[in-house]
Amino acid sequence: MKPRLPARVLLAAAFAVGGAAAQSPLTEDEARYLGAYVFERQAEVFRRFCAADAESSAELEAGLARFRAGNPGFADALQTPPERAEVAAGVQAFDTRFEAIAVAMHDVLATRTPREQCPDIALRLGSMQFETMMAEATGGITEAVTASVP
């Protein structure tokens, strides 16, 4: 079985951390920034893993380039970092926790070699839609909050 990309889980975690730090709900720009930021952090893990094989690394970079080319809203989202101090603190809290997440991601990735794993990752990343990712992640937060209300 191929490991799945945990984008929705990581995005949901980022929104939870960012939202918990904020006194009021996240704005659309803040949510989009968090989504793009988490994607970039995941890409770092994929890059480190795929760097062990030059061909795999090149395939990953091509997949990331396809993602960026097909998702201009992604780059726009990264250009709008949160201005509210509490949301910025949420991003820092996510970063603090991310190293443990990165280790877990690497462990899952390492169940197969970069040559086996990276082409699949590149294909998935290259076909992902930022707007769909955002809708799924924010929907997951809504579902989690709704489920937690008695």
Side-chain angles (χ1 to χ4, degrees):
M1 178 163 85
K2 294 179 186 176
R4 297 189 62 206
L5 300 179
R8 182 175 176 175
V9 173
L10 286 177
L11 288 176
F15 290 130
V17 169
Q23 296 297 315
S24 58
L26 296 174
T27 66
E28 183 177 339
D29 283 347
E30 289 167 343
R32 293 175 63 75
Y33 175 83
L34 282 173
Y37 185 79
V38 169
F39 184 90
E40 282 292 292
R41 294 301 312 264
Q42 283 182 273
E44 291 172 23
V45 176
F46 297 141
R47 281 186 172 112
R48 284 192 301 246
F49 176 75
C50 296
D53 179 76
E55 186 177 321
S56 297
S57 182
E59 286 183 61
L60 177 67
E61 291 304 324
L64 288 167
R66 283 190 305 277
F67 173 81
R68 286 185 178 81
N71 293 284
F74 171 78
D76 293 343
L78 283 174
Q79 298 304 313
T80 313
E83 293 180 10
R84 290 190 297 160
E86 62 267 30
V87 179
V91 173
Q92 287 180 325
F94 174 78
D95 277 342
T96 300
R97 293 183 179 128
F98 187 75
E99 285 312 309
I101 294 168
V103 168
M105 285 177 65
H106 187 271
D107 290 348
V108 170
L109 292 169
T111 62
R112 297 171 57 209
T113 68
R115 279 195 185 246
E116 295 169 322
Q117 195 80 285
C118 297
D120 290 340
I121 295 169
L123 183 63
R124 289 181 187 190
L125 293 176
S127 65
M128 290 176 81
Q129 294 298 310
F130 183 63
E131 299 306 326
T132 302
M133 269 184 354
M134 293 302 302
E136 288 177 357
T138 56
I141 295 298
T142 302
E143 291 167 14
V145 169
T146 302
S148 68
V149 175

